Amino acid sequence: LSYYNEYKSYLRMPAKKKDDDKKKDDDAKLKQINFKSKDPQTLYHLLFSKEETILWKACDALYNYCQANDANKQEVYNMGGVAAAVPHLSAPDAATRRSSIMMLNSLAQLEAAKADLRNEEVIGAIIALLKPEEVLITHEHASKCLYQLSDNINVKAMVLELKGMENLVNLIKCNDPVVQKNTIETCVLLAADSACIIELNEVGVVAALLEALNSEYPVVQSLVLSCMYVLASEECVRNTIKDNNTLEPLLKVLSDPELEDLHEGVIEVVGRCMIDTDNLDAMKDTGHLLSFKNYMSSANPHGQLNALRAIGTASLKEDNAKLLHENEVETTIINILGSDNAQVLAEGCHTVSVMAGSLLCKETFTRIGVAQALMKLVNHEDVTVQEMCSLALANLSLENKPLCLDVVHDVNLNEMLAVLQSDTSPRTLTYLCTLIFHMIKDEELRNELVQLELVPSIAACLTSPDGDTAIAACNVLGSLVLDSDARERILQTNALASLVDLVKNSTSIDVIKKAAFTITISITDESMAKELNNNDALKILSDVNIRSANNLVELAVEKLLEYDLTTKYWHQGMLSQLDIIKDEFFDRGAHKKGENFKPLQSLLERKVDNNRCVIYISTQGVDTEQVELKSEPSTVGSLTNIKGRDKTAKGKKQSKAEKEEPPEDKKDLKESTSIRLKFDTGLRDYIEDVTNKIKPLDTVEEQIIALAQYVSNVMGGKIEDLTQFSWDLHIAQLKSEMKSNVIPIGFIKRGIFYHRALLYKTLGDRIGIPATLERGDYNRAWNTVSVPKNGKMHHYVVDLVYEPGELLTVGSYKAGVYKKL
């Protein structure tokens, strides 16, 4: 433009006076100018001439030069050809306007030139060239130029503001196919903006397009249908189509074999109009809906694709689904599911999934056997077919037991379960997990699926890196754990380990929450909790909760500890009065930072060392071999009328339990080298003693004191000086004789704080004396009990070491001394 301004100032300079002869010479020279010159620079300078003939001839010449190749276009653009030609778009001479738009249309193929042309002055001038009074060639190039510029949102706004829609619509009616083509293509681009669609509708674009559909040129006809499809996205256009009865002439095209090439486009337009119930109802009343359905049955694959998309889109509205149901569209769709074309199959399955949102359609699909048709496709070689088939089954199975029964009893069920363990699309896995989740809500179906090895398939899905698949698999697992048979199968697979890995490795907070929640509801018994903790669930959940506190993760931690007291005591060092120690509890010492929990079997396999022994609580005990263990006699201080364990240990008297050989089904047959589990007859005798002699005592306080004295007695009696109480030598001897670091508590005859506190808690739980078990530092541990006095509960620490049976008030100095070194 700056270059043009320089020349404009030059043109405004006062003309030199010439005599008549001079003028004649100049005219002669002007006629000799070669407008076919290969030097565009000369032609460019002529664009600033005041002579109209020179102007339009220069523009024509530059147009021809630009049409030769892109390099020429770039050369003319670099000279400033756009800026020089733009003013001539509004020239008074029609030829100049024509030639300048031709030149600019050619330059508009360059991106840089487009940027220069996208301003309101140029767009306004181009719109003016679309008026009826302009010649045909001007219309052709102006419409093409506008098309090349209209992919820009700012240009759309300019055309709308400058009222250019009416000129475009008028040109759609033009008899020239090139002008029609350019104009309709421009309308398609403008229709990307809703405001443009509304304006086009108001100036009669639907009627103009319908008229253009009668064109003799297939390209124009196809463009008409494409434009109508885009425009029909707006409700106002669909209303116009309905009011003008436009669908009828469109649908008649379907019955004309000679117009087969237009069938797909017609189906697209009609399908978009079918969104409105009024249009669909009108099609039903006129019989065109039946024609549509018949076409869908017999069309080629592309036609079927478009028809299925139309049905699926229309079915999103309940009223539309009802109208389609009344015309038995479901049967036609199931027939299409037998197609050999993968795209048609995928679209057919997708349409079923959409129509499943209608209860009427869902019931009809179920009744006419859609499950069998879909189950044949669940392992299809095409991934998209698998996905859409799985989606259809998932949507149909929601609260639909008859269909779920059809799926469970289908011959292809095992193939479906195999797909869950295959390396297929994550979407397929997600949808199939959703299907199974819907089915296992019914107990009968759940039992059948569990027997068919469903659990390993779900366990495989838990390892998927896809978040949606993992969440769907968690939903299934969370429902399965409610069933005892399913829990047994879960424990036999790596499902719980995979669940823990989800919490550990996932970066999705939604997946972590779902996995944590599933862990929480999976802890229905002690075996599930122990299996989870054997896979470091507690540590992983705790670490995750430290990184980002979450209520669901916290709940999972609490539930794990509630059901696995071994882990709870190891991790927290505290068992409450409500925590009841049962068989297979063991105390391996306090939790150390960064340390992982080790299951009992791992501890049994460890070589004997000098570390703290693992104290095992169970009437089944622990054994290395059938070794004879020498026990030491208990010290003085035993409870009156209560026999000490020294007599039994020395072999003076055998208890009933010792005489009886434990049944084989009570033994744990796990072995590692020479290590295996055996009965702890000592603990069984303790339980028998306290049950018979302490439990019958009248008051809780008497029971508490008597149990304290009993525990002290069997653990070596009152201790005056800990340094002289050789308990560690005794434990070392036991470890050596048993060839194990795991010692059953019934074999320990010389115990200190933590041995005695554990035994007190164990025996108290068996006879109903509520007591805590609390760990301190330096091998300290103690029990807190509650005693009712004068209508109030008083809390005491029980002395098991210095003055066995003495109750030390919680918070007192003596209680503090007892708990600390």
Side-chain angles (χ1 to χ4, degrees):
L1 288 174
S2 59
Y3 197 42
Y4 165 68
N5 289 331
E6 292 178 11
Y7 273 95
K8 188 166 65 173
S9 61
Y10 166 77
L11 293 173
R12 289 177 179 174
M13 291 178 64
K16 294 181 179 180
K17 293 183 179 181
K18 303 178 181 179
D19 53 24
D20 292 340
D21 293 337
K22 182 66 174 175
K23 287 182 180 180
K24 290 178 181 179
D25 291 340
D26 289 343
D27 290 340
K29 290 179 181 179
L30 186 62
K31 291 178 181 179
Q32 295 174 10
I33 292 178
N34 181 12
F35 285 95
K36 294 183 180 180
S37 172
K38 294 183 179 180
D39 180 13
Q41 193 72 37
T42 302
L43 298 173
Y44 167 75
H45 287 297
L46 293 176
L47 292 178
F48 300 95
S49 172
K50 291 184 178 182
E51 295 291 334
E52 293 177 350
T53 303
I54 294 176
L55 284 175
W56 68 258
K57 286 187 176 183
C59 287
D60 276 354
L62 284 171
Y63 166 75
N64 292 327
Y65 183 78
C66 290
Q67 287 295 95
N69 54 59
D70 290 342
N72 290 359
K73 293 185 184 72
Q74 190 66 49
E75 183 182 0
V76 173
Y77 171 75
N78 292 339
M79 292 178 188
V82 171
V86 163
H88 304 315
L89 291 175
S90 304
D93 179 58
T96 304
R97 296 196 299 270
R98 176 207 64 202
S99 299
S100 59
I101 191 61
M102 289 171 60
M103 174 184 166
L104 290 173
N105 179 40
S106 181
L107 291 174
Q109 297 176 37
L110 300 175
E111 289 300 321
K114 287 182 182 180
D116 292 345
L117 292 170
R118 285 171 178 151
N119 63 75
E120 191 168 339
E121 178 186 356
V122 175
I123 300 300
I126 294 175
I127 290 173
L129 296 178
L130 300 177
K131 292 180 179 180
E133 54 265 26
E134 296 292 341
V135 296
L136 190 62
I137 193 169
T138 301
H139 287 161
E140 176 186 333
H141 286 275
S143 57
K144 183 66 175 179
C145 186
L146 187 59
Y147 165 72
Q148 294 186 95
L149 301 176
S150 293
D151 59 347
N152 181 274
I153 189 171
N154 293 324
V155 174
K156 293 180 176 67
M158 293 175 200
V159 174
L160 188 64
E161 184 178 351
L162 296 169
K163 307 296 182 182
M165 303 301 180
E166 186 172 358
N167 289 351
L168 286 169
V169 169
N170 289 332
L171 284 187
I172 293 175
K173 304 173 186 178
C174 177
N175 294 326
D176 184 78
V178 178
V179 175
Q180 283 184 311
K181 173 182 175 296
N182 295 342
T183 307
I184 296 172
E185 286 178 335
T186 304
C187 289
V188 171
L189 290 180
L190 294 173
D193 183 82
S194 297
C196 290
I197 294 179
I198 295 171
E199 181 68 18
L200 283 168
N201 182 60
E202 290 179 356
V203 296
V205 70
V206 172
L209 289 170
L210 191 60
E211 182 180 334
L213 188 60
N214 297 320
S215 173
E216 298 177 0
Y217 300 92
V219 173
V220 175
Q221 292 175 319
S222 296
L223 281 171
V224 166
L225 294 173
S226 297
C227 188
M228 290 186 74
Y229 176 75
V230 175
L231 293 170
S233 61
E234 285 293 326
E235 185 179 2
C236 64
V237 177
R238 297 197 298 273
N239 289 336
T240 301
I241 291 174
K242 177 187 66 176
D243 296 339
N244 296 344
N245 199 22
T246 306
L247 282 181
E248 186 168 353
L250 287 175
L251 288 165
K252 285 182 179 179
V253 174
L254 296 179
S255 59
D256 190 347
E258 294 183 0
L259 299 177
E260 185 178 358
D261 58 319
L262 301 180
H263 288 177
E264 294 178 29
V266 169
I267 289 296
E268 287 183 340
V269 176
V270 173
R272 181 154 280 186
C273 293
M274 285 168 61
I275 297 173
D276 296 328
T277 306
D278 290 342
N279 282 328
L280 193 60
D281 197 22
M283 288 176 61
K284 176 191 171 186
D285 292 341
T286 58
H288 290 309
L289 184 56
L290 180 61
S291 301
F292 184 91
K293 189 181 76 167
N294 293 336
Y295 168 81
M296 184 167 62
S297 300
S298 59
N300 59 35
H302 288 292
Q304 288 183 327
L305 274 174
N306 292 326
L308 287 168
R309 289 180 185 131
I311 294 292
T313 304
S315 300
L316 292 171
K317 286 186 177 181
E318 178 66 27
D319 291 341
N320 291 352
K322 183 179 178 181
L323 288 170
L324 293 169
H325 164 74
E326 291 172 356
N327 280 265
E328 300 180 353
V329 172
E330 298 95 337
T331 304
T332 304
I333 293 175
I334 286 188
N335 291 335
I336 291 177
L337 292 180
S339 171
D340 295 331
N341 186 283
Q343 286 183 301
V344 172
L345 289 175
E347 194 61 46
C349 292
H350 180 259
T351 303
V352 172
S353 71
V354 175
M355 296 186 72
S358 165
L359 183 59
L360 281 172
C361 295
K362 182 189 290 188
E363 291 176 350
T364 302
F365 274 128
T366 304
R367 187 180 68 254
I368 62 180
V370 72
Q372 290 78 8
L374 291 172
M375 288 296 285
K376 291 178 182 178
L377 304 175
V378 77
N379 197 23
H380 196 277
E381 60 183 6
D382 187 88
V383 174
T384 307
V385 174
Q386 277 190 5
E387 290 179 357
M388 294 300 101
C389 172
S390 304
L391 176 61
L393 286 168
N395 289 353
L396 287 166
S397 62
L398 179 62
E399 298 180 359
N400 187 359
K401 185 174 180 180
L403 182 125
C404 292
L405 283 168
D406 289 344
V407 171
V408 171
H409 298 149
D410 192 86
V411 294
N412 296 299
L413 179 63
N414 287 329
E415 286 191 24
M416 186 191 80
L417 295 177
V419 170
L420 286 168
Q421 301 186 53
S422 67
D423 185 22
T424 187
S425 159
R427 288 185 179 181
T428 299
L429 298 177
T430 302
Y431 298 147
L432 288 180
C433 284
T434 304
L435 165 65
I436 292 170
F437 177 67
H438 292 159
M439 292 194 293
I440 62 176
K441 290 179 180 178
D442 182 86
E443 184 177 358
E444 176 188 352
L445 298 177
R446 182 171 64 242
N447 292 336
E448 289 192 48
L449 286 168
V450 169
Q451 297 304 318
L452 290 170
E453 299 302 318
L454 167 65
V455 175
S457 299
I458 298 304
C461 291
L462 287 170
T463 63
S464 172
D466 182 76
D468 291 335
T469 301
I471 289 174
C474 285
N475 287 333
V476 176
L477 191 66
S479 295
L480 288 175
V481 295
L482 303 176
D483 183 89
S484 58
D485 291 339
R487 287 198 298 273
E488 291 181 8
R489 299 296 179 100
I490 289 171
L491 289 171
Q492 294 168 7
T493 67
N494 65 339
L496 295 181
S498 300
L499 195 59
V500 174
D501 286 341
L502 277 179
V503 178
K504 179 180 180 182
N505 301 322
S506 179
T507 57
S508 168
I509 187 64
D510 292 332
V511 172
I512 293 173
K513 285 181 178 179
K514 177 57 69 174
F517 178 74
T518 307
I519 288 174
T520 302
I521 60 179
S522 298
I523 307 171
T524 55
D525 56 31
E526 192 171 353
S527 61
M528 297 287 281
K530 286 188 174 180
E531 179 64 22
L532 285 163
N533 279 331
N534 287 346
N535 288 283
D536 292 333
L538 182 63
K539 179 181 183 301
I540 291 169
L541 286 166
S542 300
D543 290 345
V544 169
N545 200 40
I546 290 172
R547 292 199 305 267
S548 56
N550 184 279
N551 292 336
L552 288 174
V553 176
E554 288 180 4
L555 183 61
V557 170
E558 292 175 5
K559 199 73 179 289
L560 273 173
L561 297 178
E562 177 185 344
Y563 273 87
D564 190 350
L565 297 186
T566 295
T567 307
K568 181 177 182 178
Y569 189 53
W570 169 75
H571 190 263
Q572 295 184 345
M574 167 73 179
L575 296 182
S576 71
Q577 294 182 1
L578 299 177
D579 292 325
I580 307 300
I581 290 180
K582 299 177 182 178
D583 280 0
E584 299 186 7
F585 176 93
F586 60 91
D587 174 18
R588 55 160 300 190
H591 168 248
K592 297 177 183 177
K593 187 175 181 180
E595 183 183 24
N596 293 334
F597 180 82
K598 292 182 175 61
L600 181 63
Q601 188 63 28
S602 173
L603 298 171
L604 283 168
E605 294 170 354
R606 196 178 68 192
K607 292 182 179 180
V608 177
D609 53 35
N610 294 325
N611 295 328
R612 182 188 187 279
C613 74
V614 178
I615 309 173
Y616 185 72
I617 303 294
S618 178
T619 53
Q620 297 181 16
V622 175
D623 185 24
T624 56
E625 299 173 352
Q626 295 294 338
V627 296
E628 181 180 354
L629 300 177
K630 298 179 180 179
S631 61
E632 299 181 7
S634 300
T635 61
V636 294
S638 61
L639 184 67
T640 307
N641 297 326
I642 296 180
K643 298 179 180 179
R645 283 290 300 122
D646 55 327
K647 293 183 179 180
T648 303
K650 290 181 178 180
K652 293 183 179 180
K653 181 178 179 180
Q654 278 187 313
S655 68
K656 182 178 179 181
E658 286 176 308
K659 295 177 182 178
E660 294 176 355
E661 177 68 16
E664 286 297 319
D665 60 349
K666 294 287 186 179
K667 295 182 179 180
D668 189 332
L669 298 179
K670 293 181 181 177
E671 294 188 8
S672 175
T673 62
S674 63
I675 305 300
R676 62 186 180 185
L677 299 178
K678 179 194 172 184
F679 282 96
D680 181 359
T681 55
L683 178 58
R684 296 184 68 180
D685 284 348
Y686 293 162
I687 294 171
E688 184 179 344
D689 280 349
V690 298
T691 301
N692 295 333
K693 299 173 183 178
I694 296 179
K695 187 174 182 180
L697 296 178
D698 294 335
T699 65
V700 173
E701 185 173 3
E702 289 176 330
Q703 292 175 340
I704 290 171
I705 294 172
L707 183 60
Q709 294 171 346
Y710 181 86
V711 169
S712 175
N713 176 54
V714 299
M715 283 285 180
K718 178 179 178 180
I719 301 176
E720 299 290 345
D721 185 356
L722 278 174
T723 60
Q724 301 300 317
F725 190 74
S726 57
W727 64 274
D728 47 354
L729 181 61
H730 169 62
I731 297 298
Q733 180 184 0
L734 289 175
K735 289 166 69 175
S736 176
E737 291 173 344
M738 291 185 171
K739 300 178 182 178
S740 173
N741 293 302
V742 181
I743 308 297
I745 198 167
F747 288 101
I748 299 176
K749 307 307 174 189
R750 300 183 71 82
I752 57 171
F753 293 89
Y754 70 92
H755 307 105
R756 298 184 183 202
L758 177 55
L759 182 59
Y760 188 91
K761 170 66 175 171
T762 302
L763 297 177
D765 287 344
R766 299 300 175 106
I767 62 174
I769 299 177
T772 67
L773 176 60
E774 304 174 54
R775 191 197 310 278
D777 297 326
Y778 305 107
N779 292 325
R780 286 294 201 273
W782 60 90
N783 309 100
T784 301
V785 296
S786 301
V787 179
K789 290 183 180 179
N790 301 322
K792 294 183 179 181
M793 296 299 293
H794 296 263
H795 307 290
Y796 301 98
V797 173
V798 182
D799 189 339
L800 303 174
V801 179
Y802 303 119
E803 296 293 337
E806 183 178 358
L807 302 183
L808 312 174
T809 302
V810 171
S812 66
Y813 173 76
K814 292 185 69 175
V817 171
Y818 184 82
K819 292 190 289 185
K820 295 181 180 180
L821 184 64

